[in-house]
Amino acid sequence: MARTSVPSVFVAVSAFTLLAACSGEAGDTVEEIAVPSGDAPAEIVQRQDNFEAIGDSFKTIREQLESEAPDFAVITPAAADINERLQRLPGLFPEGSSMEAGHDTEALAVIWEDPDGFAEVQEQAVAASADMMAAAATGDAEAVGGQVGNLGLNGCKACHDKYRVEQE
Ligand code: HEC
């Protein structure tokens, strides 16, 4: 994904096109749309890369569990990677880096309006990923599967449902 290289002026234009398409109003002007005052915070790219890597590791684990002989030499480091990356989240959401602030991101402003709720769901996800690591350490694929479901529901989905742009 080459979001990094998109100049903010194009981001603003695409946001405008999107809004115009949604509202059906032809009279909107680009000036009415929030335009970032400076360069996008570097954390936006860092957090998107971090989430992408989390998604890859999560997929790796699920694929292993679907295979005939799940390989714990693959599952164990992937589980640790997710846990370590989820712990980075608090540093990746600087104030003003929301979609509503005009940036090319799926992070919603409610993240900063509800900091306690956001912190809580992050902690919940970190805890669930630690449980997944513990299950991996037992070498019990079924137990790992249960924790994958728990993390997916109470970590990834719980946060995405509220704090990320709704996915189609
Ligand atoms: C505390 C909240 C939170 C948790 C927990 C969370 N996510 Fe996300 N996720 C987000 C937000 C917010 C974004 C949008 C980031 C952006 O665009 O800046 C996102 C984006 C993503 C993306 C898209 C990355 C990209 O390419 O831009 C993937 C993939 C993803 N998350 C997977 C996961 C998986 C898998 C889990 C669970 C193991 C998870 N997330 C847990 C909040 C969360």
Side-chain angles (χ1 to χ4, degrees), residues 3-20:
R3 287 181 178 131
T4 26
S5 57
V6 180
S8 48
V9 61
F10 293 128
V11 175
V13 168
S14 62
F16 164 66
T17 313
L18 189 75
L19 282 184

Side-chain angles (χ1 to χ4, degrees), residues 1 3 43-45 47-59 62 82 86 89 92-93 97-99 104-108 111-112 117-126 129 132 148 151-161 163-165 167:
M1 250 159 273
R3 287 181 178 131
E43 286 91 344
I44 292 179
V45 172
R47 79 178 171 228
Q48 289 171 344
D49 288 350
N50 193 53
F51 279 125
E52 211 166 310
I54 288 172
D56 289 347
S57 288
F58 205 43
K59 187 163 170 249
R62 292 199 319 266
I82 292 172
L86 285 171
L89 297 189
L92 296 178
F93 289 89
S97 64
S98 70
M99 181 191 75
D104 188 11
T105 168
E106 295 178 348
L108 297 174
I111 289 169
W112 294 271
F118 189 63
E120 195 179 320
V121 75
Q122 285 181 63
E123 284 161 21
Q124 208 170 281
V126 170
S129 70
M132 186 172 73
V148 164
L151 173 60
L153 196 64
N154 297 311
C156 324
K157 187 174 188 298
C159 190
H160 291 172
D161 280 356
Y163 301 102
R164 182 185 177 194
V165 173
Q167 305 297 295

